[in-house]
Amino acid sequence: MTLLRVRDLDAGYGDLQILTDVDLNVEDEEYVTIVGPNGAGKSTVMKSVFGLTTHMGGTVSFDDTDITGANPEDIIRLGLGYVPQNDNVFGTLSVQENLEMGAYILDEVPKDSLDAVYERFPILEERRDQKAGTMSGGQQQMLAMGRALMLDPDLLLLDEPSAGLAPDLVDEMFDKIDEINEAGTAILMVEQNAKEALRRCDRGYVLVNGQNRYMDTGRALLDDQEVRQDFLGG
Amino acid sequence: MGIAETYSRSRQFVDRRPLTHSLAAAAGVGLVLYLLWVLVSQLVTGQLQIHELGELMWDGLMRGLVIGLAGVGLSMTYSILNFANFSHGDYISAGAFSGWATTYLIAGLGRADIGSLLLVGAGGSVFGGALGIGISTTPLAVVLGVVVAGIGAVALSLFVDRTVFKPLRGEDGITLLIASIGVAFALRYLMQFVFGSDVRGTTSQPPAYSFYVVDGWVRVNYHDMTLFVVAIGLMVGVHLLLQRSKLGKAMRAMSDNGDLARITGIPTEGVVRWTWIIGGALTGISGYIFVLWKGTLAFDDGWLLLLLIFAAVILGGIGSVYGAIAGGIVIGLTASMAVIWIPSAFARAAAFAVMILILLVRPQGIFAGRATA
């Protein structure tokens, strides 16, 4: 079943158009990455799904519901989670409070989700009362993911989850993402670390100048001579 | 994001000027030592007695609690909506008038005509002292007055938000600030038109306790105690709200990062509305208890208090609720105790001098970067 369906999407910021006719699907429990050069509009795709850009044409639907231009609160309710690249934790709130905010739309903080997040990221439980802003970049990234997992979303949008992490943490982060995916959550990820992302995902899109360029399984894209040459540094 | 960038930019600016910084610190330390020396010599020579010092400190604490409580409201709206609301002072007056109209009505019903009671004795038609108003003499009138003062200021701030600030949301802070100055003038002169411009006495002399301190008596009256209990109670309430409740955490989240709050699913407009409600209630109540404590009411009370409140809030680190309380007490103490060193006409100037001095040493304010936390 197709969870996320982006059709002919045109979007940008104000008068500036970034995306032209972007098409993209994510199937149930699928792991999809978007790669491409800087400025290709990868993050803009994510933001557009969440209604944070200026919509200029096309549609976004999730689980057969049209969410084009819907407000974030309603999108989250449908089962979509989003971890932006920068400033993705509330630095002055404690770890636990950050997680509670992730379940704000529910009347009560779901105990089982909280336990599941702590189980997945034990470091967060150790630091549950620490202010999020005082943690390392990798821990903040885990917290941001944990917050998005509080509602047990069907699809998680991850914008550059490995950005700014120390090399040994990058692998750990990718392992965590694999685990989340194996537990049944579909992933749509933007990654600058293109080779590793393509190695791990089911399917990848190559985005150039705000347009679709290639789409194939991760393995096939890695093996493709042109893709290697132009986007993966040979 | 915007705030964080501005903040780090100003930090860099500050860090590049370490000389001014340390000079200001040295000047500050020197000044404090000089002031202490003057104080001690006055105490030793008997020019100033210890119980007088105690009285000044108590007076400053009272003033500081009012400023702090009103400052919490200002700081909350600042941290969540990102603009300095200059009409805040007139919300204080509006809360005071609505509360005092209620108090006059209840205390004076049957003894004066309803019109003059509702206009809080405009033009000298009724006097609060003659009605015997006070926490011990007319407790119900005072308690209901406090409640209505809160409700009145809430209604006003929601109305102004709906009609003026909400349509301007998304404009920059300067536009909102200038709009709020317009609102301030409109409200103030509307109140002057309705209630008149005379200063009226609102309370009868409340009973007092006297405490013997070293060399004399310090008087603490019932209205001092009322102010203390109400202000501290509300401050503790705000603290619990921010730290324990779901709404309070959402308010802190929003003041921390509004964009992230939105994509996390926090209904931001709802949080904004609650911010006005809570901030408005604190503001109206602070106006009421201020009038109860000082015993007089005028249409520009809030406006005159506003600059001290801004001083307190900026001093505490704008946007920080705890900073507003701490800043309020520092500014209140300064304004009251300044007469030890300088003629009383300069007391207000002294409060601002302290603000400037502390900001020179610590430009981020006392509780910098802690948002509402």
Side-chain angles (χ1 to χ4, degrees), chain A residues 63 149 183 226-227 234:
Chain A
D63 220 355
L149 288 172
E226 254 175 84
V227 173

Side-chain angles (χ1 to χ4, degrees), chain A residues 50-52 72-73 76 82 84 87-94 97 100-108 131 147, chain B residues 1 4 242-243 246-247 249-250 252-258 260-268 271 369-371 373:
Chain A
F50 245 75
L52 304 176
E73 203 188 324
I76 286 165
Y82 174 33
D87 288 329
N88 55 16
V89 298
F90 299 111
T92 56
L93 270 62
S94 73
E97 287 169 340
E100 288 172 10
M101 287 300 106
Y104 193 88
I105 60 169
L106 303 180
D107 290 335
E108 272 178 41
K131 292 260 182 285
R147 194 190 55 241
Chain B
M1 242 177 274
L242 286 175
Q243 299 301 329
K246 189 176 168 185
L247 173 69
K249 289 173 190 175
R252 284 159 54 212
M254 237 186 111
S255 91
D256 186 299
N257 186 339
L260 183 60
R262 244 163 58 78
I263 61 169
T264 305
I266 295 172
T268 48
V271 175
R370 304 202 44 189

